[in-house]
Amino acid sequence: MNTLECIKTRHSTRKFKADQVSRELIDQVLDAGRRAPSGGNTQLTHFMVITNQNVLNELVTLVQEEYGKMPITENTLPYMVNIIKMSAEGKFVFNYGAPVLIVLASKPSYANNFADVSCAMQNMMLACNELDLGSCWVNQIRHLQDNERIQAKMRELGLGEDEKVYASLAIGYPDLPNGLNRREIEPKGYKVTYVD
Ligand SMILES: Cc1cc2nc3c(=O)[nH]c(=O)nc-3n(C[C@H](O)[C@H](O)[C@H](O)COP(=O)(O)O)c2cc1C
């Protein structure tokens, strides 16, 4: 697959097999993330690779418990209403049961934190597509980055005192009828302005 094909056919996977991904494949994905550009070549992104199922289950439960407590008001976005309700019922599995979660952290004091993390995320999602793995950006650990319980858990797992979580990527083998969710869909949004 060439690069443009890889970009065009990448799509999010939201159903995973429980099968663990080999360390060799995980390291290839990680390597793609670590080769992403960073502002001033600072390379401040911290990649936390979680494959321990007990830890992943704990994170799923923590996310459920914390979302489940959130009040639903008239300003709550519809997708969040759904997540809060599912969490309260213990049914929201934010990582879709994927056996690998790569959590990306950086320093809040560093102005390009989220930009650098996003570059690494895209590189890793493309690497997954190339390597026949499914992936999905999952935002919940970032959304709860200031939540005491989530923060304490992440610190226990190695998050630095001067770091916060900015993104996470669920990775695994897709559990889909056609195998991979690899397909080409023409994007319909986005505004493009040519100035010739
Ligand atoms: C910043 C960001 C946050 C996202 N958060 C989530 C998420 O929490 N859960 C999820 O299922 N997908 C999440 N996604 C995936 C998007 O929903 C997905 O990329 C988009 O719908 C386009 O679909 P595609 O990836 O299949 O092309 C996120 C994507 C981005 C870029």
Side-chain angles (χ1 to χ4, degrees):
M1 197 182 342
N2 70 34
T3 311
L4 292 179
E5 243 178 282
C6 188
I7 290 170
K8 284 181 184 171
T9 59
R10 180 218 55 83
H11 285 290
S12 302
T13 296
R14 296 190 175 85
K15 200 159 186 258
F16 294 92
K17 293 181 181 165
D19 306 3
Q20 188 50 273
V21 179
S22 69
R23 176 54 70 94
E24 193 200 338
L25 279 181
I26 294 173
D27 283 347
Q28 285 187 64
V29 174
L30 188 62
D31 189 48
R34 291 175 58 245
R35 286 173 194 273
S38 63
N41 202 19
T42 42
Q43 302 185 18
L44 285 172
T45 302
H46 176 185
F47 297 77
M48 299 176 70
V49 185
I50 309 176
T51 54
N52 181 307
Q53 287 313 299
N54 293 331
V55 171
L56 290 175
N57 292 342
E58 273 181 73
L59 286 173
V60 167
T61 304
L62 270 176
V63 167
Q64 267 176 12
E65 288 175 357
E66 294 308 303
Y67 272 125
K69 284 181 201 166
M70 286 181 188
I72 297 175
T73 68
E74 56 189 11
N75 296 325
T76 311
L77 294 170
Y79 85 94
M80 272 308 293
V81 170
N82 193 31
I83 288 180
I84 294 170
K85 283 185 179 164
M86 280 175 72
S87 295
E89 292 168 12
K91 289 183 185 156
F92 179 59
V93 180
F94 80 93
N95 69 338
Y96 303 105
V100 185
L101 187 71
I102 304 189
V103 178
L104 270 58
S106 187
K107 296 183 196 300
S109 58
Y110 167 54
N112 286 319
N113 48 30
F114 193 43
D116 286 7
V117 162
S118 299
C119 287
M121 286 289 279
Q122 182 68 2
N123 267 18
M124 293 196 296
M125 289 188 279
L126 292 175
C128 285
N129 190 23
E130 170 69 29
L131 297 168
D132 294 343
L133 292 167
S135 71
C136 190
W137 183 317
V138 285
N139 225 19
Q140 289 66 38
I141 309 272
R142 180 218 159 104
H143 189 209
L144 295 168
Q145 62 175 194
D146 293 320
N147 175 283
E148 265 178 36
R149 292 177 73 208
I150 301 276
Q151 211 177 63
K153 185 73 212 167
M154 293 311 300
R155 297 242 187 275
E156 190 189 310
L157 300 175
L159 180 73
E161 288 296 329
D162 57 347
E163 292 176 338
K164 278 191 180 185
V165 170
Y166 289 93
S168 358
L169 190 66
I171 298 171
Y173 291 102
D175 187 8
L176 302 170
N178 299 327
L180 289 163
N181 191 17
R182 191 182 277 147
R183 60 215 154 98
E184 223 179 292
I185 302 174
E186 195 57 32
K188 295 207 173 69
Y190 299 117
K191 185 174 172 181
V192 177
T193 305
Y194 290 106
V195 182
D196 293 327

